[in-house]
Amino acid sequence: MPCMTQIGKLTIDAPFFQAGLAGYSDTAMRLVARKHGCPLCVTEALLDQFLINGGKALVQAEIDPDDHPIVGQLMGSNPEDIAKGCKILVKLGYDIVDINLACPVKKIRKKARGGHLLSEPDTAIDILKAVKQAVGDDVPLTVKLRRGTDDSAVATSNFHKLFQAVIDQGFAGAVVHGRSVTQKYIGPSRWSFLKSLVDEYGQTPNFNIGGSGDIWDAHDIFRMIAHTGVRLVSVARGCIGNPWIFQQARLLMDNPDADPTSLAPTIDQQRQVLLEHFELSQRIHGERMASLMMRKFGIKFSVHHPAPMDVKDAFIKVKCLDDWHGVLEAHYGLSQSQDCVAAL
Ligand SMILES: Cc1cc2nc3c(=O)[nH]c(=O)nc-3n(C[C@H](O)[C@H](O)[C@H](O)COP(=O)(O)O)c2cc1C
């Protein structure tokens, strides 16, 4: 199993990374993932306009010193603005800059951003050129794609035109989600499409093809590599509330016959992560916002608990740090003294 992956001048020591996940993959989630063996993390898609206008978005894009290597993902609709946004990300210290040409969300596509650009390959190619011109070789550039707008012949042709341009512009890689834009999240990610891409473009020097879609556990990472030949696997919904997937993937990387469930988190380990994740989130977003965000995570974390439904119901009601600690006391063995330490 190849472990070292070279992305431009950056080397990572495992063939997987934490995906961009809007509403989730903030600094807090990324730091927790890294502590569990994740070698590379992607930000949520950042809007070029927000970065250019400065203010809160720019502050939120600042990088914690422990949050490297990090991919800053950018989304926009016109070449000049995306290029400006890229320069800002480079200045902020991002290790890789990634352009999102994949997002299927309606309000994003309506503004000709994200996945919409797969249907306008000429504009998308202008974006790639502007970005390359702005960034040069300062940091590696990558793109996030879906396998096409839909299943039509024209969508396939657009995809390949764009993919070839990504290579021609000297990008260091592309991560392809094997669902189409119109498919959104319905139905499976077409891994056979990822394999066909590797067959066609996989020998391109200094260019990595990554795969995304239907990675739910550590085994799936290596199944995707074996099935498709991609060099990198994007872990997305499978790591929300499950940072242990990265430890388990490292176990399998070292020993493919190992049993990843041997690293299933104990209640103590879950409590530790739940305390830490909330604490980090609160530091970034403040208590009120962190409480709302952590509800979503709590629901996902609850699946590791022996009484998942009770725990899920309890997390849904969280409104503040005290409520969070209340759930941990009731279900995760948090004692009053730990509670005090956590609050320090
Ligand atoms: C809630 C949510 C938010 C997402 N946000 C982003 C994003 O900001 N950038 C991105 O490249 N992909 C984003 N994605 C797509 C994922 O990175 C990934 O490609 C997709 O979920 C397929 O992988 P999976 O089936 O293993 O979850 C998002 C997906 C979800 C479910």
Side-chain angles (χ1 to χ4, degrees), residues 29-332:
M29 183 183 180
R30 297 193 301 260
L31 290 178
V32 171
R34 290 181 194 284
K35 280 204 167 176
H36 290 80
C38 179
L40 179 72
C41 295
V42 185
T43 62
E44 311 172 62
L46 308 165
L47 277 187
D48 55 358
Q49 296 292 344
F50 285 179
L51 291 179
I52 292 167
N53 294 341
K56 199 174 156 199
L58 196 55
V59 174
Q60 281 181 347
E62 285 172 8
I63 308 166
D64 184 287
D66 293 330
D67 197 11
H68 285 281
I70 181 163
V71 181
Q73 189 184 76
L74 207 60
M75 195 153 65
S77 60
N78 87 66
E80 291 74 28
D81 286 348
I82 296 200
K84 276 187 205 158
C86 284
K87 279 188 161 175
I88 294 171
L89 291 183
V90 173
K91 218 169 169 183
L92 285 170
Y94 282 87
D95 302 291
I96 294 177
V97 173
D98 184 61
I99 308 300
N100 184 313
L101 304 174
C103 181
V105 173
K106 201 169 169 188
K107 71 174 185 203
I108 299 290
R109 284 186 292 127
K110 269 176 119 174
K111 299 217 160 160
R113 298 171 175 146
H116 171 85
L117 288 160
L118 287 174
S119 64
E120 273 189 35
D122 291 333
T123 310
I125 291 168
D126 286 345
I127 287 172
L128 301 179
K129 287 179 180 165
V131 163
K132 184 66 186 177
Q133 204 175 17
V135 173
D137 293 325
D138 290 350
V139 299
L141 292 167
T142 56
V143 285
K144 172 75 182 287
L145 303 166
R146 282 192 171 227
R147 70 173 161 81
T149 305
D150 52 33
D151 285 320
S152 64
V154 68
T156 305
S157 153
N158 285 344
F159 178 91
H160 285 279
K161 181 175 178 181
L162 182 54
F163 202 83
Q164 187 59 54
V166 173
I167 293 171
D168 293 344
Q169 288 305 313
F171 277 50
V175 174
V176 182
H177 180 181
R179 293 186 176 88
S180 68
V181 175
T182 51
Q183 194 185 344
K184 294 185 178 149
Y185 291 91
I186 301 160
S189 167
R190 199 174 287 172
W191 287 12
S192 57
F193 181 80
L194 303 180
K195 179 173 173 2
S196 72
L197 279 184
V198 173
D199 289 345
E200 190 168 347
Y201 303 97
Q203 296 305 317
T204 310
N206 308 318
F207 185 76
N208 294 289
I209 300 176
S212 170
D214 292 334
I215 303 300
W216 299 107
D217 62 29
H219 277 302
D220 288 336
I221 294 172
F222 299 98
R223 264 199 286 269
M224 179 184 268
I225 292 173
H227 190 88
T228 67
V230 293
R231 288 213 194 115
L232 278 166
V233 174
S234 160
V235 185
R237 287 173 292 176
C239 66
I240 302 175
N242 185 22
W244 300 282
I245 193 172
F246 298 112
Q247 274 176 348
Q248 293 166 349
R250 282 192 182 268
L251 177 71
L252 286 178
M253 200 167 81
D254 294 341
N255 175 9
D257 296 325
D259 175 10
T261 61
S262 65
L263 294 182
T266 63
I267 286 288
D268 286 353
Q269 288 166 333
Q270 292 175 46
R271 183 182 64 242
Q272 195 54 41
V273 166
L274 288 161
L275 278 171
E276 186 177 358
H277 197 156
F278 195 106
E279 212 270 320
L280 287 166
S281 184
Q282 185 179 359
R283 221 190 290 162
I284 300 159
H285 305 291
E287 182 175 352
R288 211 186 88 78
M289 190 60 195
S291 304
L292 295 178
M293 284 196 68
M294 289 308 294
R295 270 186 206 171
K296 297 188 295 184
F297 281 103
I299 291 166
K300 299 289 185 184
F301 274 110
S302 68
V303 300
H304 303 286
H305 193 279
M309 292 314 288
D310 295 346
V311 174
K312 181 178 164 189
D313 287 347
F315 276 132
I316 288 170
K317 297 189 187 103
V318 165
K319 291 198 185 75
C320 60
L321 178 62
D322 278 352
D323 291 349
W324 188 258
H325 284 171
V327 180
L328 299 192
E329 280 168 19
H331 298 283
Y332 289 89

Side-chain angles (χ1 to χ4, degrees), residues 8-21:
K9 56 189 172 188
L10 188 77
T11 306
I12 58 166
D13 69 350
F16 49 82
F17 63 95
Q18 181 173 278
L21 286 160

